[in-house]
Structure formats: C-alpha cells, structure tokens
Amino acid sequence: MSQPTVEAFFDPVTFTVSYLVYCIETKEAAIIDPVLDFDYAAGRTGTQSADAVLARTKALGLTLRYILETHAHADHITGAQYLHAATGGMVGIGTHIKKVQKTFARIFNIEDGMATDGSQFDLLLEGGDTLVLGTFDITVMGTPGHTPACVSYLIGDAAFVGDTLFMPDFGTARCDFPGGSAAVLYQSIQRLLSLDADTRIFVGHDYGPGGRDFAWQSSVAQQKADNIHVGGGASEADFIAMREARDRELAMPKLILPAIQLNIRAGKLPIEEDNGTSYLKIPIDAL
C-alpha cells in the first residue's frame, strides 16, 4: 500500500496532534486538525501552533489543498480559518456537523445570523467520499460516537482517526457530549479495526499515561491486540458498560465553551458587536 509522508505537530497545552500530510511527487498537502492558540484568561488568540505547520509547508514548497477537521473539537480551537486565509486551502468536515451546530446553537442561544447548515465550511464530507491529494485518494470514513459528526481520513496506508481511538494504552474517546453514543463508537471502531493490519493509525491526542513519552502513531494490529478498551476482542456490551461508567467520572475539557462556539463556525469569530468586538458566551448550568 502506498505511503503518504506524514509529519506531526504536538501542542503540549491541549495535548493535540496536528498533521501535515503530503504527496512527495506532486507536493500537494493537507493539514488535519490544526490548532489556534488561546489564552482563556485574557481572551486572546495566538497563531504559534498554526504558524509552525504553515512554516513547514512553505519550507517544503507544498501547495495546501485541504484543511480537514475530524470533528468539532471540545478541547482546542481550530486554526482552520487562519490557515485558509494564508493559503486558500479548502476547509472540510463531516456533513453531520449540521447536527452539532443545531444542538449547540440552542445551548448557547447563538445569534440568529449563524447558519446551521454547515455553510461555514468549504467541504461537507460523507462517509465514502473521496478527495484527490496528488497521487493519493483521501477516503472519508464516517466514525461517529464521540460526536455525531466524527470522520476519519484514510490516505494510502495512513488513517487519521481524531478522537475515535487513542494510543493503545489510553483507549478510546469519551461519548458523553450531546449526540455521543458508546454503542455507535464501538461500531465505528470496528470499522477502523477492519482495515489492513499494517495500516498506520494516527490519533488526535496523547496524554503520556504513566509518564511515558508522548506518542501518536500505532497500527491496526497494535490497536486490535493491545487497546485497553477494545483490544483482544472486547464485546460491545462490555465496552458500553466501561465507557459509560468512565464518562460519568470525567471533567469537562477546560476549553469546551470557547472551542465549541468557534469550531462549529469553522473557526470563524462571532459577529462583531456595535463596539467592534466579538464575544463568546458562558452558559450557566446548561452542560
């Protein structure tokens, strides 16, 4: 199976891994799950993380075709709009982002002017869709469960799975956000585990459990054998019971309130108010 070139960029503040994926022959590239830095206390954005990926793209002489989101993240703000403005790359996400937009538009009582039809994104992607990246196809896999809009991207021998799977010693994604489902996640994971055994799995986060070095690449074979939540043929019933019990004990991500409001807009800021400033909301006792 053909191998695209993959470079990872780790953000230690949010434990997020962004990926630069490219075809050496044509120098066409995609960036997956980019990060925009955010100082919550000051309400200020920054571009250091996105600039690192952008600088590498320019240094290699790559043409950025796509900026792809695996889902609307709850733990970091997307750098998609910043990269789009700098490169013209098209911003893509799973088409079921529309469900997520409608859910959180109600929770945040978002202004009437924000569309919930996914039109903030250039590409709304269905499972089975393909994009062309140089000599590679990008095959979209619907992998909901963590959120209804989660997708994974299969490019050659590499699968970019977002938060659906983590490294084998950390397990799987939580399912307690609105629209999440442990049963649906289990089925999505089985589809990923049905890929060729040597398919490279690139995860969206790593937390270095037990103090090990941060890591983000495994394989289907390793996940099937060793994933602490689904490895070794774990049953759907056991997985659901484990996942739902574990989720009840988890705290909300620190950046969930700003991240969701911006990420359902493809990273675009809310409409400026009459003083020229954009604002985010903090719902009280709503989540």
Side-chain angles (χ1 to χ4, degrees), residues 196-269:
D196 290 347
D198 58 354
T199 300
R200 294 181 289 168
I201 298 289
F202 292 95
V203 302
H205 296 279
D206 190 56
Y207 303 94
R212 67 154 169 74
D213 291 341
F214 293 115
W216 37 81
Q217 179 180 340
S218 61
S219 68
V220 166
Q222 290 169 322
Q223 292 283 353
K224 288 177 75 171
D226 300 328
N227 187 287
I228 59 172
H229 294 165
V230 292
S235 72
E236 181 174 358
D238 287 345
F239 175 79
I240 292 170
M242 175 282 301
R243 187 69 267 170
E244 291 181 348
R246 181 176 173 83
D247 288 349
R248 286 192 290 269
E249 300 175 354
L250 295 177
M252 286 291 107
K254 292 180 181 179
L255 291 181
I256 186 172
L257 296 179
I260 289 293
Q261 291 177 77
L262 294 175
N263 293 344
I264 61 174
R265 294 176 166 95
K268 297 175 182 177
L269 296 179

Side-chain angles (χ1 to χ4, degrees), residues 12-107:
V13 176
T14 63
F15 304 99
T16 301
V17 192
S18 303
Y19 296 99
L20 175 63
V21 189
Y22 56 96
C23 170
I24 291 178
E25 292 182 32
T26 65
K27 293 191 175 296
E28 292 189 350
I31 293 174
I32 299 174
D33 289 341
V35 172
L36 190 73
D37 305 308
F38 186 65
D39 182 339
Y40 202 169
R44 291 192 177 276
T45 60
T47 62
Q48 182 177 350
S49 295
D51 282 336
V53 190
L54 185 60
R56 182 61 175 161
T57 303
K58 291 180 177 178
L60 292 168
L62 304 176
T63 298
L64 186 63
R65 296 296 187 199
Y66 307 108
I67 303 154
L68 301 175
E69 303 283 5
T70 55
H71 62 295
H73 309 275
D75 39 31
H76 72 268
I77 294 169
T78 177
Q81 286 306 310
Y82 177 72
L83 292 170
H84 172 74
T87 67
M90 291 184 290
V91 181
I93 198 167
T95 190
H96 294 301
I97 187 63
K98 292 177 281 189
K99 296 180 181 178
V100 178
Q101 288 177 327
K102 288 178 172 67
T103 296
F104 283 101
R106 291 191 297 269
I107 290 173

Side-chain angles (χ1 to χ4, degrees), residues 80-155:
Q81 286 306 310
Y82 177 72
L83 292 170
H84 172 74
T87 67
M90 291 184 290
V91 181
I93 198 167
T95 190
H96 294 301
I97 187 63
K98 292 177 281 189
K99 296 180 181 178
V100 178
Q101 288 177 327
K102 288 178 172 67
T103 296
F104 283 101
R106 291 191 297 269
I107 290 173
F108 288 105
N109 197 27
I110 285 175
E111 70 277 359
D112 291 340
M114 196 204 92
T116 56
D117 59 1
S119 57
Q120 299 86 350
F121 298 85
D122 301 308
L123 301 168
L124 294 178
L125 302 167
E126 300 262 12
D129 285 350
T130 59
L131 304 170
V132 176
L133 185 71
T135 61
F136 298 99
D137 284 341
I138 301 174
T139 300
V140 181
M141 298 180 64
T143 49
H146 174 55
T147 81
C150 288
V151 295
S152 298
Y153 300 103
L154 182 62
I155 310 175

Side-chain angles (χ1 to χ4, degrees), residues 144-146 163-166 170-176 180-190 193 223 227-231 233-248:
H146 174 55
D163 293 6
T164 300
L165 285 168
F166 295 124
F170 200 76
T172 59
R174 66 192 299 165
C175 300
D176 58 331
S181 166
V184 172
L185 180 65
Y186 182 86
Q187 294 302 322
S188 293
I189 290 171
Q190 298 313 303
L193 297 183
Q223 292 283 353
N227 187 287
I228 59 172
H229 294 165
V230 292
S235 72
E236 181 174 358
D238 287 345
F239 175 79
I240 292 170
M242 175 282 301
R243 187 69 267 170
E244 291 181 348
R246 181 176 173 83
D247 288 349
R248 286 192 290 269

